[in-house]
Amino acid sequence: MTEAAVRDAFRQQAGVCRGLDSSFTAQVCDLIAERLDRTTTVGRRVLDWAGDPRANADALPLRLCGALHALARDDGPNAGVWPPHPTPDDEVLWTAIVVAFAAEVDFVLDWLTSPPQTNEVGRSGPLMAGLLVPADRFGLPFELFELGSSAGLNLNLDRYGFDLGGIAAGDAASQVQLSPRWTGPAPPAGRVDVVARQGVDLNPLDPTKPETARRLTAFVWADQRERLDRLEAALKIARAYPPDLAAEDGVAWLERVLTLAPVVGVCRVVMHTIALQYFPPEGQARVRAHLEAVAAQATDKAPLAWLAYEAASAPDAEGRRWAELSLTTWPGGTTHRLARGHPHGFALEWFGAPT
């Protein structure tokens, strides 16, 4: 990739951040896109990036922003201009970034070596809304299988509280309370009872370890206090109820743990949020093929569901990028587009559950 491609990746990320209500992170990305040069080791590494810097590949802008946020939270040289401090003007902010690059070379370069990893708890809102639909249809408890789990925080969704278009769900006493801005009809009322849960990630993070909290927090955009507070509360719950996570390829894992034989008395659910899109096409095809093979034996007493909250293939007419919530249930195999919403789950437009 050329230097121009690197700069363009930062400009594109700035646009995404503005669209997702992070003006500070957008400002950082814009400054790097326009002003970064080769006078520092970090500048040379970034501008000469050997891979693909774009968001759907190496996500280089998010790696660098994560490094700077982590430094600020560790009281690094940029701490005084990072949120929760007031946002400085471009000159002050850029000076702090350059000082950080020069003073913390090894720290920043180390952060650049691994991709960003997030575990957006807000996405539990769309997932819980989606689970209310098979809960209403089948009246059975759930066994959850999550692809791309990261630290597995969304596997604990029944331990969070929800207000979903006026419908209460989950644990009303939980420290994590989610009430996405809602438009459209309410989802069906019901109880989501999770009796088993497990997930997979190529690099699962242990929520009981301090370094996991440090890493996940760094990749939350620094000016989004609500997300940071929610993550902190979810990590406390995960330390009390650590999820069962496997470190392996998600497709091979699913083929192994989601058995062909039906499980009577349980609705098995394969779910994922902004994850399947990163699987290679052949991997996505294998996921679909295995689900269809398992579904061949599904019954109303041993159903199967596939719940996905993934980025839409294109922006809408106003240029906004949504995530779409879809649900396929077996027996039957019909896919319903239940909702679209903010990629972080903060707002949801509900289209209505199937009847």
Side-chain angles (χ1 to χ4, degrees):
M1 285 289 176
T2 64
E3 176 181 324
V6 171
R7 295 189 188 278
D8 190 53
F10 279 90
R11 292 187 190 99
Q12 290 180 5
Q13 186 62 57
V16 170
C17 291
R18 281 195 190 85
L20 297 180
D21 305 316
S22 180
S23 59
F24 177 80
T25 310
Q27 182 183 4
V28 171
C29 288
D30 274 336
L31 286 171
I32 292 170
E34 300 305 322
R35 302 191 185 191
L36 189 66
D37 58 31
R38 291 185 166 80
T39 58
T40 64
T41 302
V42 172
R44 292 190 292 274
R45 178 68 61 84
V46 171
L47 294 175
D48 294 331
W49 190 253
D52 185 340
R54 293 175 297 179
N56 61 350
D58 296 344
L60 177 60
L62 294 182
R63 296 188 192 207
L64 192 53
C65 288
L68 288 167
H69 189 191
L71 268 180
R73 294 182 67 86
D74 289 350
D75 202 26
N78 59 326
V81 299
W82 237 250
H85 296 284
T87 301
D89 63 29
D90 285 354
E91 296 304 324
V92 172
L93 180 55
W94 181 246
T95 297
I97 291 172
V98 171
V99 170
F101 286 167
E104 299 289 349
V105 176
D106 292 341
F107 182 93
V108 176
L109 293 182
D110 181 62
W111 273 78
L112 292 179
T113 60
S114 57
Q117 198 158 7
T118 58
N119 203 161
E120 183 48 61
V121 182
R123 293 172 185 155
S124 281
L127 289 177
M128 177 58 79
L131 288 175
L132 287 171
V133 177
D136 180 62
R137 174 181 172 182
F138 300 114
L140 294 172
F142 292 103
E143 182 177 7
L144 305 180
F145 302 83
E146 186 184 24
L147 300 173
S149 294
S150 188
L153 302 185
N154 287 324
L155 282 167
N156 276 333
L157 82 173
D158 57 317
R159 298 183 172 112
Y160 308 151
F162 301 86
D163 178 350
L164 302 167
I167 298 298
D171 181 0
S174 175
Q175 291 183 311
V176 175
Q177 294 293 323
L178 296 163
S179 53
R181 296 189 302 271
W182 194 276
T183 56
R191 176 178 173 80
V192 172
D193 182 17
V194 180
V195 294
R197 69 198 84 203
Q198 56 183 310
V200 66
D201 199 280
L202 287 174
N203 179 34
L205 301 179
D206 184 346
T208 67
K209 294 183 177 180
E211 55 265 34
T212 293
R214 182 170 182 259
R215 180 170 178 79
L216 290 178
T217 299
F219 285 119
V220 175
W221 296 333
D223 54 343
Q224 297 192 326
R225 185 72 253 171
E226 184 179 357
R227 290 178 68 201
L228 290 164
D229 291 343
R230 184 181 294 128
L231 174 60
E232 181 180 356
L235 283 166
K236 288 180 181 178
I237 293 173
R239 285 192 285 271
Y241 301 98
D244 179 9
L245 302 176
E248 62 180 285
D249 172 75
V251 179
W253 173 85
L254 187 66
E255 292 170 340
R256 177 171 58 81
V257 300
L258 185 66
T259 59
L260 293 175
V263 179
V264 175
V266 174
C267 179
R268 293 187 290 174
V269 181
V270 175
M271 66 183 200
H272 45 86
T273 63
I274 320 295
L276 192 67
Q277 63 195 58
Y278 296 112
F279 285 42
E282 61 272 20
Q284 295 182 32
R286 282 174 59 190
V287 168
R288 293 186 182 92
H290 185 64
L291 283 165
E292 289 170 359
V294 175
Q297 299 187 58
T299 67
D300 283 339
K301 294 183 179 180
L304 176 69
W306 183 9
L307 183 61
Y309 192 60
E310 294 287 339
S313 57
D316 67 10
E318 298 177 5
R320 294 173 298 187
R321 288 195 172 272
W322 298 88
E324 295 187 343
L325 180 69
S326 64
L327 173 71
T328 307
T329 53
W330 294 272
T334 302
T335 298
H336 295 276
R337 183 170 174 255
L338 297 179
R340 67 175 185 175
H342 189 291
H344 295 155
F346 297 160
L348 208 64
E349 180 184 2
W350 188 259
F351 301 132
T355 57

